[in-house]
Amino acid sequence: MAETTLTHTGQTESRPAGWQGIAADWSSDQRAFKNVSWGKAMMWIFLLSDTFIFGCFLLSYMTARVSTRVPWPNPSEVFALRIGGSDIPLILIAIMTFVLISSSGTMAMAVNFGYRRDRRKTAILMLLTAALGATFVGMQAFEWTKLITEGVRPWGNPWGAAQFGSTFFMITGFHGTHVTIGVIFLIIVARKVWRGDYDVGRPGFFTSRRGRYENVEIMGLYWHFVDLVWVFIFAFFYLW
């Protein structure tokens, strides 16, 4: 049976019952996403799906680690960096984490100044965030190069369980790809902010309505998610 609802004009409108009614509710932005733009809603949905992917990767890593009978490589030994004649464990990873967490702070400030319509500070902070992200990716490339030269491969390594290489390259590579994509889009949005595209409503790629700096906030959501994922990777892969 169909249900009837009262419209804003006072007339009754038929609404399907059951699953069709639920689908009709969720397909209406005035009911499911009231006061939320489609861009922001779609970013949240994307981040939710990405959470499942990263969660599956980390669960696969933990399963491989606890199920293997071969000793797992010691992270303090594998990720040590030789400085001044001595091996310092996890020093590069600590710097990478500091850089990425700092970029989350600059991104938060960029969103704040974006809502204040301060083009100059917003663009500068977004470019600074992109620079920190690029620095992180560069250090990750150095880390990969170091491990590859030391004999780490997806199918084996000199220190222990063969699964170490495959899980490491899969998880850190997938995250590094996210950071790289974020850096590219940060530069694109920062350029549009600097040119004043959001102030005049200039049509184009990633340009919202006049006076709306919402794309800056959407980029902030993505970037904070990337930083949060790295916290879990850091805890499970480097500290465990």
Side-chain angles (χ1 to χ4, degrees), residues 127-168:
L127 291 174
L128 179 57
T129 304
L132 291 172
T135 302
F136 174 87
V137 174
M139 289 188 290
Q140 192 172 64
F142 172 80
E143 177 191 33
W144 275 40
T145 303
K146 175 179 175 295
L147 293 178
I148 290 173
T149 56
E150 292 176 350
V152 179
R153 300 290 187 273
W155 53 85
N157 65 87
W159 298 287
Q163 298 95 324
F164 170 82
S166 59
T167 54
F168 170 78

Side-chain angles (χ1 to χ4, degrees), residues 19-169:
W19 288 105
Q20 291 182 347
I22 295 174
D25 284 343
W26 279 85
S27 63
S28 170
D29 61 328
Q30 291 301 314
R31 293 177 180 175
F33 300 109
K34 189 174 183 178
N35 298 326
V36 177
S37 71
W38 281 113
K40 191 182 297 184
M42 291 302 104
M43 176 55 73
W44 277 113
I45 292 175
F46 167 76
L47 296 181
L48 179 62
S49 63
D50 231 19
T51 300
F52 286 117
I53 296 175
F54 275 108
C56 289
F57 281 172
L58 290 175
L59 284 174
S60 300
Y61 158 72
M62 289 185 286
T63 302
R65 180 161 181 174
V66 300
S67 61
T68 180
R69 296 183 179 181
V70 182
W72 198 263
N74 184 5
S76 297
E77 177 185 352
V78 176
F79 301 108
L81 193 63
R82 193 166 189 81
I83 301 177
S86 58
D87 293 329
I88 303 179
L90 301 175
I91 181 64
L92 179 63
I93 312 304
I95 297 174
M96 291 169 60
T97 303
F98 175 78
V99 168
L100 201 59
I101 298 302
S102 298
S103 72
S104 190
T106 57
M107 188 69 238
M109 289 190 290
V111 173
N112 184 26
F113 283 111
Y115 278 111
R116 296 182 186 183
R117 307 292 189 269
D118 192 329
R119 283 193 301 143
R120 182 173 178 273
K121 291 182 180 179
T122 302
I124 290 175
L125 285 167
M126 292 189 74
L127 291 174
L128 179 57
T129 304
L132 291 172
T135 302
F136 174 87
V137 174
M139 289 188 290
Q140 192 172 64
F142 172 80
E143 177 191 33
W144 275 40
T145 303
K146 175 179 175 295
L147 293 178
I148 290 173
T149 56
E150 292 176 350
V152 179
R153 300 290 187 273
W155 53 85
N157 65 87
W159 298 287
Q163 298 95 324
F164 170 82
S166 59
T167 54
F168 170 78
F169 289 125

